[in-house]
Amino acid sequence: MARNVRLMRCAPGDVFRVLANGWLYPLWVVGASRMRDVGEEWPAQGSTLHHSFGSWPALVNDTTVMRVWDPPRRAVLEPHGGPIGVARVAIDVKARGDMCVVRIQEEPVTGPTKLLPDVVFDAITRWRNAETLHRLAYLAEGGAPGTSGGSTALGHESTAEREPIDR
């Protein structure tokens, strides 16, 4: 199981407001390229996002199902990656003063990625999810629509601007 952790200069609620806005999904998820639809119930447990991954002309239509929605602590998503298979992605957020620690864990459930040795899957996925957390920090700290202003409101610059991606 690949794990990444990042300290963000925002409240846990800011992270969850980004996650709750399904239309922002391709802005923070590496590989997602466009949104096709957001289920009316999103982000409720069992609701679905309809998006695509890849680059034109090689786009694959995909869905992601919300399996656990427990703001401001935990969300578990299940992206269905067409020929790549299904993954389980857990996002855990804990307050730390006026900031928060965000942990993302990903594991394959079905498909060819499940056949990869753990060390290979983890290395590739940690690299990708470092960028995913970097993008999520821009949105949550930077005051994406529906957030409370993120790090600027706290009088700090975004960690996404100051810190390099730790791969």
Side-chain angles (χ1 to χ4, degrees), residues 2 16 20 33 42 45 48 51 62 93 95 107 119 129-130 136:
F16 275 83
S33 55
W42 186 266
Q45 186 170 318
T48 304
H51 52 90
D62 190 9
V93 183
E107 63 183 328
V119 68
N129 284 343
L136 186 57

Side-chain angles (χ1 to χ4, degrees), residues 53-77:
F53 70 90
S55 293
W56 184 90
L59 285 168
V60 175
N61 288 340
D62 190 9
T63 60
T64 293
V65 179
M66 182 66 73
R67 292 297 178 204
V68 175
W69 180 248
D70 184 23
R73 292 172 292 282
R74 187 166 221 266
V76 178
L77 298 95

Side-chain angles (χ1 to χ4, degrees), residues 117-160:
D118 288 344
V119 68
V120 173
F121 175 82
D122 289 356
I124 293 167
T125 306
R126 278 195 315 269
W127 182 70
R128 189 191 74 214
N129 284 343
E131 175 62 17
T132 292
L133 286 178
H134 191 73
R135 294 176 183 191
L136 186 57
Y138 271 122
L139 293 167
E141 295 177 338
T147 65
S148 60
S151 62
T152 303
L154 297 173
H156 304 287
E157 67 178 281
S158 169
T159 63

